[in-house]
Amino acid sequence: MRIEKLKFATVEEIYQNYLPLVKPITDTLEIFVEQSVNFVLAQDLISEEDLPGFKKSIVDGYAVNSHDTKGASMNNPALLEFAFEVKIGEEVVQKLKPAQAAWVPTGGMVPEGADAVVMVEHTQRFGNLVEIMKSVAPGENLLKANEDVKKGQVVLRKGTRIQPKYLNILYSLGIEKLLVYRKPKVAIVSTGDEIVEPFVKVKKVTQVRDSNSYALVCWLKNQFGFEAKRVAHVRDDEAELTKVLNQCLNEYDAVVISGGSSIGVRDITAKVIEKLGKPGVVYHGAMIQPGKPTIFGFVDEKPILGLPGNPVSFTVSAYVFLIPVLRKMEGEEEYLPKPCGKVKVKKNIPSVQGREQFIRVKLTFEEGELMAEPLFSESASITNLVQADGFVRIPRGVEGVYAGEYVEFYKL
Ligand SMILES: Nc1nc2c(c(=O)[nH]1)N[C@H]1C(S)=C(S)[C@@H](COP(=O)(O)OP(=O)(O)OC[C@H]3O[C@@H](n4cnc5c(N)ncnc54)[C@H](O)[C@@H]3O)O[C@H]1N2
Ligand code: MOO
């Protein structure tokens, strides 16, 4: 892997130059549909059937030839002959003749000869006669056979992450198993002499409970189903970190290190990644705020990311850089974060020289508009993550954003 190494990189540079270097996992496995949520499809899913497969009424009423209802109204009903009743689930072979009407339930098959259905509310039955009090157009109140899905149609594309809302179509088409990509295995290592396990009684007020690594494991597992494991906590010790990271590189597809990514004397992450193998660190520092001391490297072809220790910076950096890397690894076609839309900011947001900003915001709905209240606080403030609904993205090189302007919103 020959790549140009950068000290600082913009988000665009990272997305255009470095993320494409992430190699997707090509191993596949076959799984049952009920286990498929969050897996990424490894093949186009092609329908072998038409759906609904028959001309289907979508109301309770009378199947008719629309031509016979022309001009029908309350005052001037069309009189049709009652022909027969269609039962739900029954395949009708009888044809409807002109000037006839057949009863069909919602979901029932519309007989040949009929091209529309009149809702029962607009009809009256008198023995063998059906009064139609509303005209219908051809195709009204029914689904044509194959209107929903056509045989041979791609219903889900290769590279799609399966969502619960896709399951109806899979079950409807009788698809039992899917070919998907294997999930990336991600090792998470936390660093720092001050860091302690979350559930111990702290001995000094200056000790900090490890929230980053454990929270990230839960996030990656629950939102994407990645096989994430918090492997270890390592003190600020080069030899110890090197040993742990080497083990991780042997056993996992990607490695994440929390903390030690800045430029202080104890910030050894970049130095250690450099020594682990080639090409090593490809950039150290992203032009974003928060999340600046992000490190991105590869050892052979395995991505290794150092994320800043501050929990908010860690979360933003994981959102903007780590998660796209893992989504790309899993073969997902659309792996970059996508804005939900634009929201109106409630307060002025000052700019930070040269850095794209991901400002945490709380959303409110006011006078028919989504408004974003910026939560200004340091990236060391964790309560921020509880209050925020997501981020607004302020591009680099703008002189801040004024209250009332619209900016892109990303859901957290
Ligand atoms: N002279 C400079 N100092 C700093 C710079 C700079 O450019 N020049 N950048 C600042 C920025 S921006 C950030 S963000 C931080 C991040 O630095 P590190 O990645 O080296 O993080 P640490 O120093 O290890 O930790 C920062 C902070 O976060 C706490 N922490 C660390 N790990 C965890 C964890 N697993 N769970 C919860 N909290 C954690 C740690 O105790 C520190 O309080 O650097 C600035 N400095
Ligand atoms: O980049 Mo740091 O993450 O500004 O707080």
Side-chain angles (χ1 to χ4, degrees):
M1 197 183 251
R2 268 181 66 84
I3 38 182
E4 191 198 346
K5 296 186 174 201
L6 283 185
K7 182 134 179 68
F8 284 104
T10 63
V11 177
E12 298 86 76
E13 276 171 332
I14 292 164
Y15 285 175
Q16 280 167 24
N17 303 339
Y18 299 121
L19 275 180
L21 301 175
V22 173
K23 286 253 164 53
I25 290 170
T26 49
D27 310 340
T28 58
L29 62 151
E30 206 177 35
I31 53 164
F32 286 103
V33 167
E34 63 259 37
Q35 296 150 355
S36 70
V37 169
N38 257 332
F39 276 92
V40 174
L41 274 177
Q43 59 178 177
D44 282 348
L45 213 78
I46 296 167
S47 174
E48 291 178 5
E49 293 174 15
D50 287 336
L51 266 188
F54 61 96
K55 206 190 315 173
K56 186 182 200 174
S57 177
I58 56 168
V59 296
D60 292 306
Y62 287 93
V64 295
N65 184 328
S66 58
H67 188 76
D68 293 333
T69 69
K70 216 169 179 181
S73 66
M74 286 276 272
N75 296 332
N76 185 26
L79 267 188
L80 303 181
E81 182 198 345
F82 174 77
F84 51 85
E85 178 183 336
V86 176
K87 294 212 166 64
I88 191 80
E90 184 182 80
E91 203 171 332
V92 259
V93 281
Q94 273 170 284
K95 286 186 189 159
L96 198 76
K97 295 190 190 120
Q100 284 190 333
W103 171 260
V104 269
T106 301
M109 182 168 176
V110 175
E112 211 182 301
D115 67 351
V117 183
V118 185
M119 282 166 84
V120 66
E121 298 88 314
H122 305 129
T123 67
Q124 242 182 320
R125 171 103 180 258
F126 298 103
N128 254 1
L129 288 178
V130 186
E131 251 189 18
I132 305 289
M133 289 171 289
K134 195 168 181 258
S135 67
V136 277
E140 200 167 322
N141 294 329
L142 58 80
L143 277 186
K144 289 191 215 93
N146 89 11
E147 187 166 331
D148 207 355
V149 178
K150 290 182 184 49
K151 188 176 171 182
Q153 180 184 327
V154 177
V155 282
L156 289 175
R157 293 225 163 267
K158 177 179 172 181
T160 304
R161 186 175 295 279
I162 305 284
Q163 299 179 28
K165 67 176 182 173
Y166 300 158
L167 297 188
N168 267 84
I169 199 155
L170 300 178
Y171 283 116
S172 300
L173 290 169
I175 293 169
E176 196 182 3
K177 289 178 176 175
L178 301 170
L179 193 70
V180 295
Y181 291 112
R182 172 173 77 71
K183 295 254 165 221
K185 287 188 239 155
V186 193
I188 299 155
V189 176
S190 68
T191 65
D193 288 347
E194 78 286 21
I195 302 299
V196 292
E197 289 297 320
F199 310 124
V200 296
K201 196 163 167 38
V202 288
K203 295 196 183 92
K204 289 190 278 181
V205 286
T206 47
Q207 289 185 319
V208 174
R209 293 194 180 90
D210 180 4
S211 68
N212 287 343
S213 66
Y214 289 105
L216 182 64
V217 167
C218 294
W219 182 10
L220 297 182
K221 277 190 175 170
N222 288 302
Q223 198 178 338
F224 299 95
F226 297 133
E227 287 183 26
K229 182 148 192 259
R230 194 272 200 171
V231 173
H233 161 246
V234 180
R235 296 177 65 81
D236 297 319
D237 179 282
E238 274 183 52
E240 203 187 328
L241 186 60
T242 308
K243 189 170 150 219
V244 170
L245 294 184
N246 264 322
Q247 275 168 0
C248 293
L249 285 166
N250 281 334
E251 293 167 29
Y252 293 84
D253 301 301
V255 182
V256 181
I257 304 128
S258 153
S261 61
S262 191
I263 50 165
V265 280
R266 307 182 82 86
D267 298 325
I268 54 173
T269 305
K271 208 165 150 192
V272 171
I273 295 177
E274 268 299 278
K275 285 202 279 181
L276 289 173
K278 294 279 172 221
V281 174
V282 295
Y283 72 77
H284 184 179
M287 307 289 269
I288 65 165
Q289 200 268 326
K292 181 178 77 169
T294 295
I295 304 166
F296 190 3
F298 291 95
V299 173
D300 296 326
E301 292 188 336
K302 286 193 182 171
I304 178 158
L305 282 91
L307 307 187
N310 282 332
V312 175
S313 319
F314 181 86
T315 304
V316 170
S317 187
Y319 185 95
V320 180
F321 304 119
L322 169 69
I323 287 172
V325 166
L326 300 177
R327 291 173 71 181
K328 172 101 183 0
M329 281 189 100
E330 204 188 346
E332 199 174 347
E333 200 57 42
E334 280 191 35
Y335 53 83
L336 294 181
K338 224 162 115 186
C340 305
K342 289 207 166 183
V343 293
K344 200 176 189 176
V345 290
K346 281 181 86 167
K347 288 184 190 152
N348 295 349
I349 303 176
S351 70
V352 170
Q353 188 84 45
R355 285 160 81 182
E356 194 166 334
Q357 285 173 280
F358 285 79
I359 306 283
R360 282 73 64 206
V361 293
K362 179 141 195 61
L363 290 187
T364 51
F365 195 63
E366 291 168 37
E367 292 166 13
E369 268 198 299
L370 270 179
M371 309 285 284
E373 163 104 44
L375 302 168
F376 294 117
S377 68
E378 292 304 322
S379 41
S381 157
I382 311 176
T383 39
N384 214 240
L385 290 176
V386 180
Q387 292 154 358
D389 292 304
F391 313 111
V392 291
R393 186 172 176 175
I394 315 294
R396 262 169 10 104
V398 298
E399 280 187 22
V401 168
Y402 290 101
E405 284 189 57
Y406 291 87
V407 285
E408 280 180 354
F409 171 76
Y410 292 76
K411 191 174 174 303
L412 184 59

